[in-house]
Amino acid sequence: MASGFARAVAAAAAALAGSAMFVTQAACAQATNQDTDLVPDPEGPTPAAGPVEGSTDPNAIIVTARRREEALQDTPVAITAINAAMLENKNSLNIGDLQGEAPNLLITQQNSGAAAANLSIRGLTYADIEKSQEPTVGVVIDGVFIGTNTGQLLDFFDIEQIEVLRGPQGTLFGRNTIGGVINIRRTRPTFETGIKAEASYAKFGTYSARAVLNFGIGDVIGVKPFYFYNESDGFYRDGQTGERRGGATNHNFGVAIAVQPHDDFDLLLTVEKQVQDFEVVNSVITNDTELFCGFAPPELCNRNTTDDLYTVFGQPAGGSYEAPSITAEANWDTGPILFTSVTSLRKSSENQTQDFDSTYTDLYYPRRIQDYQQFSQELRAAGDLFDGFDYVVGGYYFDSEFDLVQYTKVFGFAPAVDPIDFDNNPQSVRGTTKSYAAFGDFNWAFSENLRLSFGGRWTRDEKTLRNSFAQLGLIGEGDDSFSKFTPKVGVDWRPNPDAMFYASWSRGYRSGGFSPRAATAETASTPYDPEVVDSYEIGSKLDLLNGTLQFNLAGFISKYDGLQQNTTIPGGPTGNQTITNNVGSATIKGIEADASFRPVRNLRINATLGLLDAQFDDFIAGNILNGVILPFDYSNNDPIYSPDVTASVGAEYAQPVSFGELVGTVGYRFIGKYDQQISLGPLTGDLVNGPVIVNGNDPRVRTDQQNLLDASLTANFEIGDAEAYVSAFGRNLLDDRGTTAAFTVAGLFSFASAREPRTYGLTVGVRY
C-alpha cells in the first residue's frame, strides 16, 4: 500500500500542476466561447462579512465554511456541500445517509446511545457515547456545536444545506473538531404563508409524517412551527419468535421565530424537543475462544458477521430519550462590522438497557440512567479592516455537565429481573466541563491573484470527574485543566476566475480529561492528555468546460500525536475497568477528489473519490495476558474507521412531462474494508514479560467492503396553487449486508450491530 500510495501522491501532484497549465491556457478560449450567464465576475458577491472574490453564477453553491458567505469554489477548504434538493430526491432520512457522499467520510449509527453516530473524517474518529469525552468530528447545527455523539443523527426534512469540512476546523467551529465538521443549516422562517408536508411508508413497517408551516405576523415576525414523526418495526428478526426486533419511534417538534424589525438587525429563536423510544438489539458474534461461549447455547457461538447478524437472540432491551433545546441567533449589521451572537441551551435525559452478551442466557445486562446539559455562547465580529483584508474574530464559552448511574447485572441468569433490583452497588459518575476560547480568522488579498489566510484559536478546558459506588462511596475524582493555541495558515492563488490553487497547514486540538469507566482511586483521578493533529494540505478547485464541470482535488498528510485510546484492565468492584490513555501517534495520508458535471441542462452527475493510508507510528498500551497486565504493542494494527478507498458516483435527471416533471436519481457508493475497534489479533513477542506484539485487529471487528446502490423516481406536479410530488425510492438495492459496529470485550464476549438491508418505499408530499 505504501508504494502504491506514493505513486498516487505523485500522480495527484502532477494532476495539480497539469490542471494549472490547462486552465491557464484555456482561460482565453473559454472567455470567448462562454454563455455570458456563466462568465464569473471577478468582483463576486459582497456579503456583510466582507467581499468574496469569485463566481457570481446564480447556480453557484454558497457555503459558510469560514463563517462568511462564499461560493463553494472560492473557499480554500476541502469541503463538500449538499443542498436540500439533493437530499429530498434521494429520500434521505438522517445524516447517516451522507456516508460515502464526501471523500473519506464515514457515518455509522451507534446503538449504545440515542440518535448517536460514529463519525470519521480522514481516519479521525471517536466511537463512544460517554459524555465526558467529545467527538473528534464536530456536528454543528445552526451554529451550535453538539458536545456528544448522542443527538447527532438529525432528521433531514427541514435542511437547507449540509457542508462537510474535512481536516481540523477548530479555528472557527466550536471545539475539539480535529477531524472535521459537518455543518448543518436548517431553513429559516420565510415571513410568508406556506406549508411543506409529506408522508412515507417503507419496508420494515417504517412510517413517517413531517410538516413545516410558515407564516408572518406583519413584515417583522416570521414563524415556522414544525413536527416530524417516524416509526419502524426494525429490520432484525428474533431467533426464537420470528418477530421483528429493533423498532423505534421518534418525535421532533418545535418552532422557529424570526424577528427582523429593520434590514440591519435580525433575531432567530428556535425552541424544539426530540423524544425517542427505541429497542436496543445486539447481534452475537462471540466465538469459542471467549468465556461467555461456555454459558451460551452452542448455536449462538461462532456466528458470521454478515447474514447471521440479522437474527438476534438477546433478551428485550430498550431506551427512552428526551432532548429539549433552545437556540437564539442575533445579527446586527452596523455597516463596517457585522456582529453575531449564538446562544444555546441543550438538555437530554436517557434511560437505556442493553443485552451486551446478546444471548437469552442473561450474562451481562446493564441499565444506564443519565442526564446531560450543555450551554454555549459565541460572539463574533466580521468585516473589512481595509480593502482586500477581511476578518472574523470572536469568543466562545461552553459549559456541560452530566450525571450517570449504571446498574449492572453480571451472570444474573434471571432475565425477568431488572438490573436496578439486582445491583445494590451501582456506579455513579458525574462530570463537568468548562471551556473558554478566543479566535480570529483573516484573509488578506496582498496581490491581484494571491490571498493569505491565517488565524488561530486559544482554548482552555477545565474538567472534573467524580466516580463512586453506592456501597463503597467515593472511589476517586479528578480535576484538571488543559489549554492549547491552534494556528492555521494558508495561501491561495487564482490565475484566472476559473481556477484556484491553495496550500494550508492547520493544527487541531482535542481536550484531555478523565476516564468515566475507571473503577479504582488511581485510575479515576489520573488524567489523560490532549490529542494534537497537524494537517498539511494542497488542493485545487477548477471550473471547466464553460462552467459545466467543477473539479476539486486535494492531498493531505496528518500527523496525529497523543492518541487517546480506551483499554480494559482488571480492577474495581466489577472486576474490570476501562481507562483512557495516550498511547501513541499515527500518520495519515490521503488524496481526495470530487466533481460535479452538467453536460446538458437537466442532467447532473456527481462523483467523489477518497484514498487513505492510515498507520500507527507507535501504539503501546497495557493489556491482560494470563492474568497479568503487560505492555502490548498495537503498532501493526489498522486505525479504526479508516478504509483505504471511499468512492461514489451519482446522477440526477429531470424530464418535463405533460403533468409536470419527472426526476430520477441513481447513486452508487463504495466503501472499502475497515476495522471498528482496536482489538487483539495474533500475538507474538515476549508473552511473559512483554512487550507483546499484536499483529492486527480481531477479524470479527472488520467490516467487509460495501457496495451500496440507491435510486429514486419522483413525479412533480401542481394541484391548484400547490406543488405536489410522489416519489418511489430504494436504498441498498444490492442488499449488501454486514456490520456497522463490532466490539470484543477482554476475552469475555463480542457483539455487533448490522447495517440496514435492502429497503424501498413511497413518499407523497406537498409544498405551498
Side-chain angles (χ1 to χ4, degrees):
M1 177 65 189
S3 60
F5 187 85
R7 289 194 296 270
V9 171
L16 283 171
S19 58
M21 295 178 61
F22 171 80
V23 174
T24 303
Q25 295 169 359
C28 294
Q30 288 193 13
T32 57
N33 294 327
Q34 282 178 326
D35 184 328
T36 56
D37 289 340
L38 295 175
V39 176
D41 180 358
E43 298 301 322
T46 307
V52 177
E53 297 182 358
S55 172
T56 56
D57 180 353
N59 295 318
I61 297 176
I62 303 300
V63 297
T64 58
R66 299 193 300 160
R67 299 301 197 191
R68 310 159 172 86
E69 290 191 348
E70 303 174 284
L72 175 65
Q73 293 300 93
D74 297 326
T75 307
V77 174
I79 177 174
T80 299
I82 303 172
N83 64 29
M86 297 178 189
L87 301 175
E88 291 175 359
N89 288 333
K90 290 179 56 180
N91 286 272
S92 298
L93 296 178
N94 54 50
I95 68 169
D97 292 321
L98 291 177
Q99 175 161 272
E101 291 293 341
N104 293 321
L105 169 67
L106 289 182
I107 305 177
T108 61
Q109 186 165 359
Q110 168 63 266
N111 71 348
S112 295
N118 292 334
L119 301 172
S120 174
I121 295 180
R122 293 182 171 178
L124 297 180
T125 188
Y126 169 64
D128 208 328
I129 56 153
E130 295 298 348
K131 293 176 171 54
S132 63
Q133 299 164 297
E134 298 85 359
T136 57
V137 175
V139 173
V140 176
I141 301 174
D142 294 337
V144 178
F145 170 78
I146 308 302
T148 72
N149 283 16
T150 53
Q152 291 183 333
L153 285 176
L154 188 74
D155 191 291
F156 259 156
F157 185 62
D158 191 33
I159 301 299
E160 178 180 303
Q161 185 162 288
I162 293 180
E163 302 163 7
V164 181
L165 290 72
R166 304 186 294 278
Q169 306 294 331
T171 302
L172 288 174
F173 281 94
R175 49 196 300 275
N176 296 305
T177 54
I178 65 174
V181 165
I182 298 178
N183 186 31
I184 301 173
R185 299 206 317 264
R186 294 181 290 192
T187 65
R188 299 175 71 93
T190 64
F191 291 83
E192 298 179 354
T193 301
I195 188 172
K196 176 184 173 185
E198 73 174 30
S200 67
Y201 173 76
K203 194 177 178 182
F204 309 120
T206 303
Y207 301 87
S208 68
R210 304 159 168 174
V212 175
L213 177 65
N214 270 287
F215 61 90
I217 302 176
D219 297 328
V220 176
I221 300 176
V223 183
K224 187 194 75 173
F226 56 89
Y227 176 74
F228 311 146
Y229 171 80
N230 61 70
E231 69 172 66
S232 174
D233 293 336
F235 53 75
Y236 296 91
R237 287 282 188 190
D238 190 290
Q240 294 177 290
T241 67
E243 297 177 352
R244 287 287 179 198
R245 298 284 303 275
T249 61
N250 187 68
H251 305 259
N252 195 320
F253 51 90
V255 61
I257 301 173
V259 181
Q260 190 168 353
H262 49 79
D263 292 341
D264 298 334
F265 178 82
D266 66 82
L267 172 67
L268 177 64
L269 179 68
T270 304
V271 181
E272 61 188 307
K273 186 175 184 178
Q274 183 176 6
V275 179
Q276 188 179 49
D277 293 294
F278 52 98
E279 182 187 14
V280 182
V281 293
N282 291 317
S283 304
V284 58
I285 58 171
T286 303
N287 66 27
D288 54 17
T289 68
E290 295 169 304
L291 177 65
F292 280 20
C293 255
F295 298 91
E299 65 270 19
L300 302 191
C301 290
N302 305 306
R303 295 173 63 81
N304 68 44
T305 56
T306 52
D307 290 337
D308 285 350
L309 296 172
Y310 298 83
T311 302
V312 296
F313 302 91
Q315 63 192 88
S320 61
Y321 173 73
E322 293 188 4
S325 67
I326 181 170
T327 301
E329 177 188 334
N331 296 282
W332 179 31
D333 188 355
T334 67
I337 304 175
L338 172 66
F339 293 100
T340 299
S341 169
V342 181
T343 309
S344 176
L345 175 65
R346 302 178 65 90
K347 296 184 177 182
S348 66
S349 298
E350 300 173 59
N351 187 337
Q352 180 172 329
T353 57
Q354 192 160 356
D355 185 3
F356 280 107
D357 63 86
S358 314
T359 72
Y360 43 75
T361 312
D362 189 26
L363 301 173
Y364 189 84
Y365 190 96
R367 179 181 289 276
R368 292 164 57 90
I369 302 172
Q370 60 185 319
D371 295 301
Y372 170 83
Q373 76 171 34
Q374 68 169 66
F375 171 80
S376 62
Q377 173 65 60
E378 183 168 354
L379 296 172
R380 300 194 304 269
D384 293 336
L385 190 62
F386 53 82
D387 186 32
F389 190 102
D390 66 80
Y391 65 87
V392 177
V393 296
Y396 179 78
Y397 173 72
F398 179 92
D399 186 322
S400 72
E401 60 182 54
F402 76 94
D403 289 283
L404 166 66
V405 179
Q406 177 167 318
Y407 299 86
T408 306
K409 185 170 51 165
V410 180
F411 294 116
F413 303 108
V417 177
D418 193 289
I420 291 179
D421 300 321
F422 182 91
D423 186 1
N424 59 8
N425 189 31
Q427 184 175 12
S428 297
V429 183
R430 175 180 172 82
T432 66
T433 296
K434 292 184 184 297
S435 181
Y436 312 84
F439 58 87
D441 190 78
F442 309 92
N443 289 322
W444 177 28
F446 59 91
S447 73
E448 183 177 359
N449 299 323
L450 288 169
R451 178 173 56 174
L452 177 67
S453 300
F454 60 96
R457 186 185 195 96
W458 175 83
T459 303
R460 177 182 172 86
D461 292 304
E462 299 174 355
K463 290 194 173 185
T464 69
L465 197 72
R466 187 180 191 277
N467 221 318
S468 63
F469 287 83
Q471 292 184 354
L472 302 177
L474 178 66
I475 292 293
E477 57 186 337
D479 183 346
D480 207 343
S481 62
F482 314 89
S483 62
K484 193 74 174 178
F485 176 71
T486 51
K488 180 175 184 177
V489 62
V491 62
D492 60 85
W493 172 52
R494 298 188 65 93
N496 60 66
D498 297 320
M500 180 178 70
F501 302 88
Y502 68 90
S504 67
W505 164 69
S506 59
R507 174 168 290 171
Y509 153 85
R510 180 167 174 247
S511 175
F514 296 89
S515 304
R517 301 190 188 106
T520 67
E522 180 183 3
T523 56
S525 60
T526 302
Y528 54 87
D529 293 327
E531 296 178 319
V532 176
V533 173
D534 284 287
S535 181
Y536 307 86
E537 181 174 330
I538 59 172
S540 67
K541 297 192 174 187
L542 310 176
D543 284 307
L544 305 172
L545 304 179
N546 295 331
T548 62
L549 172 62
Q550 293 181 335
F551 177 72
N552 303 326
L553 183 67
F556 67 91
I557 297 177
S558 296
K559 301 294 291 185
Y560 193 2
D561 291 318
L563 175 68
Q564 298 170 6
Q565 181 63 41
N566 291 337
T567 304
T568 300
I569 63 173
T574 60
N576 63 73
Q577 57 181 330
T578 299
I579 60 171
T580 306
N581 286 318
N582 301 93
V583 297
S585 61
T587 299
I588 305 173
K589 309 171 188 176
I591 297 174
E592 298 169 341
D594 63 82
S596 178
F597 182 41
R598 289 182 176 269
V600 295
R601 181 179 180 84
N602 296 333
L603 175 63
R604 179 177 61 210
I605 300 172
N606 295 315
T608 69
L609 174 65
L611 303 177
L612 202 63
D613 180 18
Q615 296 181 352
F616 292 119
D617 298 324
D618 59 271
F619 186 148
I620 305 294
N623 209 331
I624 310 166
L625 185 63
N626 300 321
V628 179
I629 299 179
L630 298 175
F632 276 57
D633 185 347
Y634 293 87
S635 302
N636 293 331
N637 291 41
D638 289 334
I640 62 174
Y641 293 95
S642 301
D644 291 344
V645 180
T646 57
S648 70
V649 60
E652 177 182 287
Y653 181 74
Q655 175 63 51
V657 292
S658 59
F659 58 81
E661 182 184 58
L662 288 176
V663 179
T665 70
V666 62
Y668 168 74
R669 293 172 289 159
F670 174 83
I671 302 171
K673 298 178 180 179
Y674 60 89
D675 290 345
Q676 299 155 104
Q677 182 202 9
I678 300 298
S679 57
L680 297 178
L683 304 179
T684 57
D686 189 341
L687 304 184
V688 177
N689 301 306
V692 177
I693 307 301
V694 184
N695 296 286
N697 294 314
D698 189 308
R700 291 171 297 170
V701 304
R702 167 162 287 202
T703 185
D704 59 343
Q705 65 183 26
Q706 300 175 47
N707 294 277
L708 306 175
L709 180 65
D710 310 314
S712 69
L713 181 63
T714 302
N716 297 300
F717 53 94
E718 294 184 358
I719 301 178
D721 295 331
E723 299 177 1
Y725 56 93
V726 177
S727 179
F729 62 89
R731 292 193 300 272
N732 190 11
L733 294 174
L734 300 177
D735 200 24
D736 192 309
R737 299 189 172 209
T739 58
T740 61
F743 207 81
T744 65
V745 183
L748 301 176
F749 59 94
S750 300
F751 62 95
S753 56
R755 54 181 175 261
E756 183 185 53
R758 179 191 297 122
T759 188
Y760 42 81
L762 188 70
T763 298
V764 296
V766 63
R767 304 183 188 92
Y768 171 76

